[in-house]
Amino acid sequence: MEKKVRVRFAPSPTGGLHLGGVRTALFNYLFAKKHNGTFILRVEDTDQTRFVAGAEEYITSCLDWCGLTPDESPEQGGAFGPYRQSERKSTYKQYADQLIADGYAYYAFDTPEELEAKRKAVPNFTYGLANRLEMRNSLSLTAEEVNVLLANHTPYVVRIKMPADELVSFTDLIRGYVSFDTNLVDDKVLLKADGMPTYHLAVVADDRAMEISHVFRGEEWLPSAPIHILLWRYLGWETEMPQWVHLPLILKPDGNGKLSKRDGDRLGFPVYAQNWTDPKTGDLTRGFKELGFMPEAFVNLLAMQGWNDGTDQELFTLAELIDKFSVERISKAGAKFDFEKAKWYNHEWIKNATAKKLLPFVKDSFTAEGMVLNDDVRLEQVIDLIKDRCNLLTDFVPQSSYFFIAPEVYDLASVKPKWTPEKAAFFEAYTLDVKDGPAAAELEEKFKELAGAHNFKPGELMLPLRIMLVGGKFGPGVFDIAVNLGAAETIKRIHKAIAAFN
């Protein structure tokens, strides 16, 4: 019988959620939903020294914003809990003990100071096959010495004993056949001195306990794969081992290395899904959400980082991504992150969204600027007029605030050189033609007729009218603006501007 698809996103609650992490969650989610499987959030908080208060809630918030709600999680619960590794602490030592008893792991009593001295003395020091017998551990000490140390509660860690001269091989669903020489892999710590497991032991024990069928994770975990495969084998679980999917990295825009928060700071774009405030320093790192990205656009652009469906299609709903997703279409090569392209995705999603869908985002943006707008019908009309001009949701305020607040400052440099008393007379006359009710096309027709009667070409007068209504050379169709403002406001702005131009 085919194994039921169960996948997990397993972040550490140590800070903001990098867009690479969200993409890992997304690919897990898409694969699970494509195969009627289960998407699990498991919080890997075994490293208590790096734990950051609020980070778990932040991760959950980011996933909810993206629409990637887990089927099982610390919040949701489920039949395979608990879903925080710290709450599973009591389950790990038995596996470490079993590995020691079977000769696959050993106690290491080296102090942090001894290890630090070794690192200083030996360049690129790694603890393993070449030097483990020079260190203070249960392989170099007698059984009696080990028993005395244990009886005296001497602090220790448990390390895996990597075998000599073996080839550990597996098939990765993206990369195909992969193999590692065990002589080149060090003896990683499995159980720390505080009794907490490291990632290596915990991830294997938890994946087995939660019946995980496929492991999607970043390619930076490839060097750890031989350790994990050996643990599956040594613990007698090899037939239950999940299939491996090591995802390509998201690279800096120039392609040189993995995209980091520092790169985002340097280049002026976010790399976190949502704003993250460091509780220790108070430092704020901006996120895609607060910058003005729609969640649908953020998910869409992340899906295209290292995956495509084999066609030229670039815009996908989440439902379409689920339908089209396949591991075979994930690239082996890293994907260069292009922020301009990211904004293009957002622009397309804004452009294609209904005004009703955009309304709450836009109202919130205005509220944040101290403008409370209650006329939803009119605001939806404004949204429809300007959404084609917005790359970010935060663009709506600067692109449309003139609909609600008359300009105080005008781009006089664009008007004054060609401003004449005759033009002032034309606009005074035009105010008599501005009435509530007519469509933009009718207002424009009246404008052109009157221009001809005053011996002007309409083009000579369009820019002054625009600057009268909005203050500068921007905005949608000027007669659309006039219709939205209404006759009284349009006339008031024309009179005010004539005085300023004169």
Side-chain angles (χ1 to χ4, degrees):
M1 192 174 80
E2 196 176 343
K3 198 172 182 181
K4 183 173 174 7
V5 168
R6 288 178 57 79
V7 297
R8 47 60 171 186
F9 175 53
S12 299
T14 54
L17 187 53
H18 187 280
L19 57 92
V22 184
R23 188 196 59 175
T24 299
L26 173 62
F27 284 3
N28 271 290
Y29 179 90
L30 296 177
F31 187 77
K33 298 307 166 189
K34 171 90 176 183
H35 297 282
N36 299 312
T38 304
F39 171 56
I40 300 155
L41 172 65
R42 184 174 74 218
V43 177
E44 304 210 332
D45 58 348
T46 54
D47 190 346
Q48 294 293 292
T49 60
R50 295 177 65 226
F51 175 81
V52 176
E56 182 186 319
E57 293 78 6
Y58 167 87
I59 290 165
T60 301
S61 172
C62 290
L63 293 181
D64 285 345
W65 176 63
C66 292
L68 308 178
T69 306
D71 302 303
E72 298 173 21
S73 69
E75 209 171 54
Q76 302 272 105
F80 293 83
Y83 294 92
R84 291 185 192 91
Q85 284 186 332
S86 58
E87 294 172 12
R88 306 173 73 88
K89 179 179 175 180
S90 60
T91 67
Y92 300 113
K93 189 176 184 301
Q94 60 179 315
Y95 303 126
D97 291 345
Q98 180 187 330
L99 290 164
I100 291 169
D102 293 340
Y104 296 126
Y106 57 94
Y107 299 109
F109 300 96
D110 317 275
T111 65
E113 294 75 22
E114 287 167 347
L115 290 171
E116 188 53 38
K118 199 75 172 173
R119 287 188 194 100
K120 284 180 179 170
V122 182
N124 304 316
F125 169 76
T126 57
Y127 200 127
L129 195 62
N131 55 25
R132 59 171 74 123
L133 294 180
E134 301 166 13
M135 309 301 288
R136 206 156 65 99
N137 55 54
S138 55
L139 301 178
S140 62
L141 302 170
T142 65
E144 190 178 351
E145 287 171 320
V146 170
N147 288 335
V148 169
L149 288 168
L150 292 175
N152 290 335
H153 303 293
T154 307
Y156 65 83
V157 298
V158 175
R159 291 181 178 271
I160 187 171
K161 183 184 175 187
M162 290 300 290
D165 308 321
E166 279 191 26
L167 212 58
V168 177
S169 307
F170 68 97
T171 299
D172 184 278
L173 294 186
I174 295 175
R175 293 155 205 287
Y177 179 79
V178 185
S179 64
F180 293 87
D181 179 351
T182 57
N183 294 327
L184 304 176
V185 184
D186 50 325
D187 292 356
K188 296 290 187 194
V189 174
L190 303 179
L191 200 71
K192 292 177 282 191
D194 62 1
M196 287 296 261
T198 62
Y199 173 79
H200 304 296
L201 180 60
V203 75
V204 171
D206 290 348
D207 283 348
R208 193 243 181 180
M210 293 182 180
E211 297 180 9
I212 300 303
S213 64
H214 298 75
V215 169
F216 285 75
R217 60 186 184 183
E219 71 174 38
E220 63 268 33
W221 290 109
L222 259 176
S224 300
I227 298 152
H228 302 163
I229 288 164
L230 286 176
L231 288 175
W232 281 94
R233 186 181 302 165
Y234 291 164
L235 290 164
W237 304 333
E238 195 165 14
T239 56
E240 303 167 62
M241 189 167 69
Q243 291 187 271
W244 303 94
V245 189
H246 287 90
L247 303 171
L249 295 176
I250 296 181
L251 304 173
K252 304 172 199 260
D254 63 8
N256 292 320
K258 182 180 176 181
L259 180 70
S260 70
K261 176 182 168 296
R262 197 175 291 110
D263 297 315
D265 293 342
R266 178 172 57 86
L267 298 167
F269 59 78
V271 297
Y272 286 172
Q274 294 182 177
N275 277 5
W276 168 253
T277 303
D278 187 311
K280 291 177 184 168
T281 64
D283 291 343
L284 170 70
T285 305
R286 292 200 70 195
F288 279 86
K289 178 184 177 182
E290 290 77 10
L291 186 66
F293 273 74
M294 290 181 68
E296 296 89 344
F298 184 58
V299 165
N300 190 165
L301 73 91
L302 282 186
M304 305 306 282
Q305 297 291 306
W307 173 88
N308 66 75
D309 74 335
T311 72
D312 292 333
Q313 184 177 343
E314 293 188 276
L315 300 177
F316 294 88
T317 64
L318 189 56
E320 287 172 324
L321 287 171
I322 292 167
D323 181 54
K324 299 282 184 76
F325 186 74
S326 71
V327 176
E328 293 74 26
R329 296 297 314 174
I330 300 175
S331 168
K332 291 180 193 171
K336 293 182 191 177
F337 186 72
D338 180 346
F339 186 58
E340 292 307 310
K341 183 70 174 184
K343 286 194 291 186
W344 175 85
Y345 278 105
N346 205 49
H347 172 71
E348 291 299 311
W349 271 94
I350 288 174
K351 194 169 71 175
N352 295 326
T354 64
K356 193 170 288 298
K357 180 174 178 61
L358 294 169
L359 183 69
F361 297 109
V362 178
K363 282 186 86 166
D364 286 350
S365 297
F366 273 104
T367 302
E369 295 295 323
M371 294 171 65
V372 180
L373 304 179
N374 295 317
D375 186 346
D376 287 0
V377 173
R378 181 166 176 239
L379 185 51
E380 283 186 26
Q381 291 169 348
V382 169
I383 289 168
D384 273 330
L385 285 174
I386 66 158
K387 65 182 184 179
D388 284 11
R389 299 166 178 274
C390 298
N391 289 322
L392 303 167
L393 292 169
T394 45
D395 291 342
F396 276 93
V397 173
Q399 287 284 357
S400 65
S401 56
Y402 54 82
F403 279 101
F404 310 101
I405 301 173
E408 294 296 326
V409 178
Y410 300 99
D411 180 3
L412 293 176
S414 297
V415 177
K416 289 283 277 184
K418 294 183 179 178
W419 185 251
T420 63
E422 290 76 18
K423 284 184 180 176
F426 164 81
F427 280 105
E428 288 287 0
Y430 183 60
T431 59
L432 303 175
D433 286 336
V434 177
K435 296 180 178 63
D436 280 325
E442 194 177 327
L443 278 182
E444 184 173 5
E445 194 55 43
K446 295 264 188 191
F447 185 88
K448 287 177 177 176
E449 285 174 10
L450 192 63
H454 283 249
N455 297 314
F456 285 114
K457 291 176 181 173
E460 297 175 74
L461 304 165
M462 295 284 265
L463 181 60
L465 177 60
R466 178 176 294 282
I467 292 172
M468 287 172 169
L469 299 186
V470 308
K473 297 188 285 187
F474 53 87
V478 70
F479 299 104
D480 290 314
I481 296 171
V483 168
N484 187 279
L485 290 174
E489 180 64 18
T490 298
I491 292 165
K492 184 175 159 188
R493 291 189 186 192
I494 290 173
H495 283 144
K496 183 182 172 187
I498 289 171
F501 294 174
N502 286 337

